[in-house]
Structures are given as C-alpha cells and as structure tokens.
C-alpha cells in the first residue's frame, strides 16, 4: 500500500499497513463515541483533543511506542464509553 506524504508516495510494509488501519479505526471509534457526548462544548473539546493527539503522534515510527499509544487510546475510548453509559442510566 502506498501513502501520500507531502506530495510523495511512500510504500508501507505489511505491519505498517496493519498498524495504520488500527490507528484509523481507533480514531473513527473515538470520534463516533464523542458524538454521543450530550454537551456541545464538551464534544468540541474532546474532538479537538483527539485530533491534536493523533496529529501530534502521526510521525511515530517505533513499533513499541505505536502499540502502546494504540493500547492507551483504546483504554481512553473504553473509559469514555463507560462514562457515557453511566450518564445515560
């Protein structure tokens, strides 16, 4: 798979491709969960926070660091989902 970076195409190894898919999937899940937040200002804050976190780490290349960030992101997503579930009950 090729990815466009600043006008140039770079080839991804199979593990890079899979990690990229995992990261994109996590980002989409986080944004979907944020849509459930009732207060508009909280939604905006969380959306901006998520966007900045992903943008800040987009150039990470070390496998262990990426795996750790995906794990942390999933834990934060679960925490958000738990909080939203509690708020609804």
């Amino acid at each position: 798979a090729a990815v466009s970076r600043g006008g140039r195409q770079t080839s991804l190894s199979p593990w890079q491709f899979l990690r990229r898919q995992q990261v994109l999937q996590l980002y989409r899940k986080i944004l979907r969960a944020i849509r459930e937040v009732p207060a508009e200002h909280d939604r905006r804050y969380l959306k901006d926070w998520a966007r900045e976190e992903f943008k800040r780490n987009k150039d990470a290349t070390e496998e262990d660091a990426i795996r750790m960030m995906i794990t942390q992101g999933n834990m934060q997503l679960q925490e958000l989902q738990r909080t939203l579930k509690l708020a609804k009950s």
Side-chain angles (χ1 to χ4, degrees):
V3 175
S4 179
R5 286 232 174 209
R8 67 188 198 289
Q9 292 276 323
T10 57
S11 230
L12 297 178
S13 73
W15 78 262
Q16 287 171 317
F17 177 78
L18 290 173
R19 285 286 177 244
R20 184 172 188 275
Q21 294 307 108
Q22 283 181 302
V23 170
L24 291 173
Q25 185 179 45
L26 175 61
Y27 185 62
R28 285 190 291 266
K29 284 180 180 177
I30 288 171
L31 291 180
R32 265 187 231 112
I34 289 171
R35 279 191 225 137
E36 303 296 315
V37 173
E40 160 75 36
H41 66 281
D42 291 340
R43 268 196 315 274
R44 198 170 346 166
Y45 170 80
L46 289 169
K47 195 173 177 182
D48 290 344
W49 168 81
R51 185 180 298 126
E52 286 305 312
E53 282 296 305
F54 279 81
K55 199 182 287 185
R56 188 165 56 86
N57 293 303
K58 76 179 171 88
D59 294 322
T61 55
E62 190 181 317
E63 173 68 14
D64 289 341
I66 294 169
R67 217 178 9 246
M68 184 187 73
M69 287 185 274
I70 291 171
T71 300
Q72 285 179 331
N74 277 310
M75 289 183 342
Q76 289 170 325
L77 172 61
Q78 289 172 354
E79 184 60 33
L80 175 60
Q81 289 169 329
R82 256 194 309 274
T83 302
L84 288 168
K85 199 174 191 177
L86 284 173
K88 288 180 181 176
S89 59

